Amino acid sequence: MDDARHARGPDDGRPAPGGPGPRAPGSRGRSGAVGHRSPRTGTEPVTAQSPLRLRLLLSAVFLPVFLAGAVFFGVWAADTGPGGSPGRGPLIALAAVCAALVVIAVADVAVVTRRLRRERDADASEPR
């Protein structure tokens, strides 16, 4: 194994434990973990904000869009006769894709609201 790759750690670019790198092992907490905030390194802006609210907004906006798409394509597929254009198969596939995106958006809304609630509770419990 070449030394540069070994010193860098796994192929994801993180430093190997005990190897050279911009941070000491274990100095950063897991993202999203309650009470594990990373210390400022000086490279991020002081006013940096979490993208969770944007994720919540995007999921909340596209959830009804994908739901409407799933219903629309499902109804269209049900009304399509033999030999219709587009055929029933592609319409069912589009309805399934929209339904899958609805499930993903619902899961994302649930995860983001849970993380925002944990952040808010953690901020409220911190002494000032």
Side-chain angles (χ1 to χ4, degrees):
M1 198 187 281
D2 79 305
D3 292 327
R5 182 175 172 197
H6 181 62
R8 195 177 73 221
D11 286 335
D12 58 3
R14 292 180 294 143
R23 59 185 176 188
S27 65
R28 296 181 60 122
R30 259 187 48 222
S31 176
V34 178
H36 294 284
R37 292 200 177 171
S38 302
R40 280 186 42 80
T41 61
T43 59
E44 67 273 1
V46 176
T47 59
Q49 295 181 1
S50 170
L52 289 177
R53 293 192 196 285
L54 178 62
R55 272 181 58 188
L56 182 62
L57 175 69
L58 289 173
S59 293
V61 166
F62 283 103
L63 178 86
V65 171
F66 294 137
L67 184 61
V71 170
F72 175 75
F73 290 122
V75 169
W76 190 4
D79 289 343
T80 300
S85 180
R88 181 173 272 173
L91 293 174
I92 291 173
L94 285 171
V97 167
C98 287
L101 291 172
V102 165
V103 170
I104 291 170
V106 166
D108 196 43
V109 166
V111 167
V112 169
T113 53
R114 185 189 59 178
R115 286 184 180 177
L116 286 172
R117 190 176 305 124
R118 282 185 178 176
E119 278 186 11
R120 185 179 61 232
D121 293 345
D123 287 343
S125 67
E126 287 181 4
R128 297 192 186 257

